[in-house]
Amino acid sequence: MTIEVPRETWQGAVREVTLGAVGDGGSRTTTVTVGGERSLPFLHFEAPLPHRPVMAAEVSDVYPDDWSPALLETLGEDARDPGAWAARMVDAGAELVALKLRGAHPERQGLGADECVATVRKVLDAVGVPLIVYGPGTPDKDNEVLVAVAEATKGERLALGNCEEKNYRTLVAAALGNGHLVIGQTPIDVNLAKQLNILIGDMGLPLDRVLMDPNTGALGYGIEYTYSVMERLRLAALMGDTMTQQPMISMAGEEAWRQKEARAAEGVPEAWGDLADRGVAWETTTASALLQAGADIVVLRHPRSLAAVGRALDELMKEA
């Protein structure tokens, strides 16, 4: 008896977005293209997946002394040198580096634009993969440092984050003038994500230079709601809604490693097991769920997580 597998035929597709530039002002040795899907994640029998989802490694410009002890122990002295840190993570399997300019936050070191530009240049010199650059997370300071970074790296085709309702005009203008991409981040909501994409597009930035971060929670901290929103965004894209057809990026590592399950070594049930293994498991499981929800890029923190998620992607990319 032959069983026919039902297949959906979709009229829409996710846009292709390329990060990094080789030549013509870009110094990268590789570029990364994401998107292009014409089916739900990993349903190879419905449509070939044109680009494998990508793993990025999160790197901080300053020593992240508030990170999990298990994570800092693994990173060692590399966590004090963003160039060495980035190179190590690329060697571990990262295809992108996501540099966060935490030191510019007014409540941390309050570093200025020149210092941030110097750090970005150091990381660009250390690795050949494309770069994502995040501001410190406050609108005014994000505008200050990311505009300077955009101007100093014209042509590199960086992804600048995060574009939010309060600051998208400044960052989109910086991307437009210097050949970069932007990451639009919204609270976990389909309509807000769509609306921000509309606002960015209305400023004239081509939508093939826009990534979408619908935000996320970690395993055990609202990931089910995130999953449903990402799935709805992907379904809308496949059904032809042009303002939801952006590739999605998720900060899996940041969310997983800030939870108690990845941080607490004492005062927890013995069944939780070793902290180092538990943190990697929390990050890997969070990232794997987000990939199944439609993430095109997952940003990770631990070298072992890069290896584990890479193995999972190897299996998911196999066609039956």
Side-chain angles (χ1 to χ4, degrees):
M1 177 179 173
T2 302
I3 299 176
E4 184 176 347
V5 177
R7 290 174 171 81
E8 291 280 358
T9 300
W10 304 98
Q11 64 182 16
V14 179
R15 286 185 180 85
E16 292 187 331
V17 172
T18 298
L19 295 85
V22 178
D24 295 326
S27 64
R28 303 301 80 207
T29 56
T30 62
T31 63
V32 167
T33 300
V34 293
E37 297 95 335
R38 291 184 173 274
S39 71
L40 290 171
F42 309 111
L43 300 188
H44 302 285
F45 61 87
E46 283 192 356
L49 190 63
H51 303 290
R52 172 181 167 129
V54 172
M55 299 180 297
E58 183 180 351
V59 170
S60 173
D61 63 334
V62 295
Y63 186 74
D65 53 9
D66 56 343
W67 283 19
S68 169
L71 186 54
L72 292 176
E73 182 178 357
T74 296
L75 295 172
E77 288 302 303
D78 286 338
R80 301 184 184 277
D81 181 341
W85 187 352
R88 175 177 175 180
M89 299 303 277
V90 170
D91 287 344
E95 299 149 278
L96 297 167
V97 169
L99 173 64
K100 189 154 189 178
L101 301 173
R102 303 175 86 236
H105 197 288
E107 296 179 4
R108 293 192 175 95
Q109 288 90 326
L111 301 179
D114 290 345
E115 293 161 298
C116 292
V117 168
T119 300
V120 171
R121 290 195 182 281
K122 183 174 186 177
V123 174
L124 285 170
D125 289 343
V127 297
V129 301
L131 198 59
I132 300 166
V133 181
Y134 287 101
T138 62
D140 289 343
K141 200 66 176 182
D142 283 353
N143 289 347
E144 176 191 338
V145 300
L146 290 176
V147 168
V149 167
E151 292 172 349
T153 58
K154 185 172 184 176
E156 289 285 4
R157 207 172 170 89
L158 308 180
L160 305 174
N162 282 306
C163 262
E164 298 176 308
E165 185 181 3
K166 294 180 180 178
N167 71 344
Y168 76 90
R169 293 178 180 86
T170 300
L171 295 190
V172 170
L176 267 171
N178 298 285
H180 299 305
L181 292 70
V182 298
I183 300 171
Q185 187 184 68
T186 50
I188 308 172
D189 184 277
V190 171
N191 292 326
L192 291 177
K194 178 177 176 178
Q195 180 62 27
L196 183 57
N197 290 337
I198 292 171
L199 293 172
I200 291 171
D202 284 348
M203 286 193 64
L205 186 67
L207 290 176
D208 63 0
R209 285 162 56 185
V210 179
L211 296 169
M212 178 168 56
D213 181 356
N215 226 318
T216 187
L219 174 67
Y221 291 86
I223 198 170
E224 299 88 351
Y225 186 55
T226 297
Y227 193 108
S228 69
V229 168
M230 292 176 68
E231 186 176 53
R232 286 164 59 201
L233 283 165
R234 184 51 48 88
L235 285 168
L238 294 174
M239 288 188 285
D241 185 341
T242 60
M243 288 298 117
T244 60
Q245 291 176 338
Q246 305 311 122
M248 290 186 283
I249 180 171
S250 291
M251 298 292 289
E254 179 180 61
E255 290 299 321
W257 282 99
R258 73 181 186 177
Q259 310 306 337
K260 66 180 179 181
E261 288 83 356
R263 300 178 62 87
E266 300 177 356
V268 298
E270 184 178 349
W272 282 23
D274 178 70
L275 174 60
D277 292 338
R278 190 193 329 142
V280 171
W282 220 259
E283 180 175 36
T284 300
T285 306
T286 298
S288 298
L290 295 172
L291 288 167
Q292 293 281 5
D296 297 274
I297 303 171
V298 287
V299 184
L300 305 170
R301 287 184 173 180
H302 200 293
R304 285 171 55 197
S305 299
L306 287 167
V309 174
R311 290 192 297 270
L313 281 170
D314 287 343
E315 292 300 315
L316 289 166
M317 290 300 295
K318 291 179 180 178
E319 297 189 27

